[in-house]
Amino acid sequence: MSQAVGNTALAYARVWHHVDASDRVLGKLAERIALVLMGKHKPIYDPSVDCGDYVIVTNSRQVKVSGRKDEQLLFRKHTMYAGGLKEAPYKDVLDKDPARIIRQAVSGMLPKNKLRDRRLERLKIFPGQHMGKVGANVLKSWDDGTLPPDHDPHRVTTSETLKENWRETYRAAAAAAVSSSSA
């Protein structure tokens, strides 16, 4: 009789998490995403093992920053040629490439080791609410961390369809509660 205890294949299975970035503060959002990419939310977490999950971020164009960072933040990159330093203010980068803002913030929150690039590959960022084919993989929404009641992995979902499904479920539950209390 053999029973596998501990680090089984099921424990290392990767789950897809969905995050709606609209009106969320960039630093707190990046910190939470980094924890999920590292796998610190799992009981089998080991710093030397890449056991994190996938994260899909939608509405990245609507992410917020605190204070006056929207006026003060500068994004820099260098072309590696003499005089090749390029600077762009936060508002321009937000209009042109909002995924760069979140990816850079999450990258700064991850440990600086060989696993960093592999973890960042599991981060998918979309400027709007449509997430394409990868939306079919979503299992957990960060509102309360549970599966939707009508979860169908073969149907493409967006953040709006997830919210609508939850609203319909709560309306039905409230209607059932009212009808049972009046009877």
Side-chain angles (χ1 to χ4, degrees):
M1 170 171 25
S2 68
Q3 292 182 343
V5 176
N7 300 341
T8 62
L10 186 59
Y12 283 101
R14 298 192 194 277
V15 176
W16 290 69
H17 298 266
H18 171 250
V19 183
D20 189 3
S22 55
D23 298 328
R24 302 276 301 266
V25 178
L26 176 64
K28 294 177 189 267
L29 179 68
E31 176 192 11
R32 181 113 185 245
I33 292 171
L35 291 176
V36 173
L37 289 174
M38 285 188 286
K40 280 196 164 187
H41 63 290
K42 295 183 176 182
I44 58 160
Y45 172 71
D46 181 12
S48 63
V49 176
D50 191 16
C51 62
D53 292 338
Y54 288 88
V55 177
I56 299 173
V57 181
T58 56
N59 294 322
S60 63
R61 198 175 299 277
Q62 298 167 358
V63 72
K64 303 290 182 205
V65 289
S66 59
R68 293 180 48 208
K69 291 186 188 109
D70 56 345
E71 302 165 4
Q72 297 172 341
L73 266 180
L74 284 176
F75 287 87
R76 295 181 176 95
K77 64 180 180 180
H78 204 286
T79 63
M80 301 310 289
Y81 288 98
L85 180 66
K86 307 289 182 187
E87 292 182 342
Y90 172 81
K91 290 183 179 182
D92 291 347
V93 176
L94 186 64
D95 292 338
K96 186 176 179 183
D97 186 18
R100 178 180 170 196
I101 294 172
I102 295 178
R103 187 171 303 280
Q104 186 170 339
V106 171
S107 176
M109 300 278 180
L110 289 172
K112 284 59 172 180
N113 57 23
K114 293 181 179 182
L115 298 175
R116 182 189 210 177
D117 291 334
R118 195 180 317 168
R119 288 172 173 157
L120 280 174
E121 286 174 4
R122 290 195 308 271
L123 176 63
K124 314 292 183 197
I125 304 172
F126 299 98
Q129 56 187 339
H130 183 67
M131 51 183 116
K133 292 181 180 179
V134 296
N137 298 324
V138 173
L139 282 182
K140 292 187 178 179
S141 180
W142 279 10
D143 294 335
D144 59 357
T146 59
L147 292 174
D150 62 341
H151 176 69
D152 181 12
H154 304 292
R155 189 182 62 185
V156 177
T157 58
T158 64
S159 59
E160 289 302 312
T161 58
L162 288 173
K163 287 178 187 175
E164 192 58 39
N165 291 342
W166 283 108
R167 284 188 200 117
E168 290 173 10
T169 304
Y170 287 134
R171 285 183 196 137
V178 169
S179 65
S180 66
S181 65
S182 64

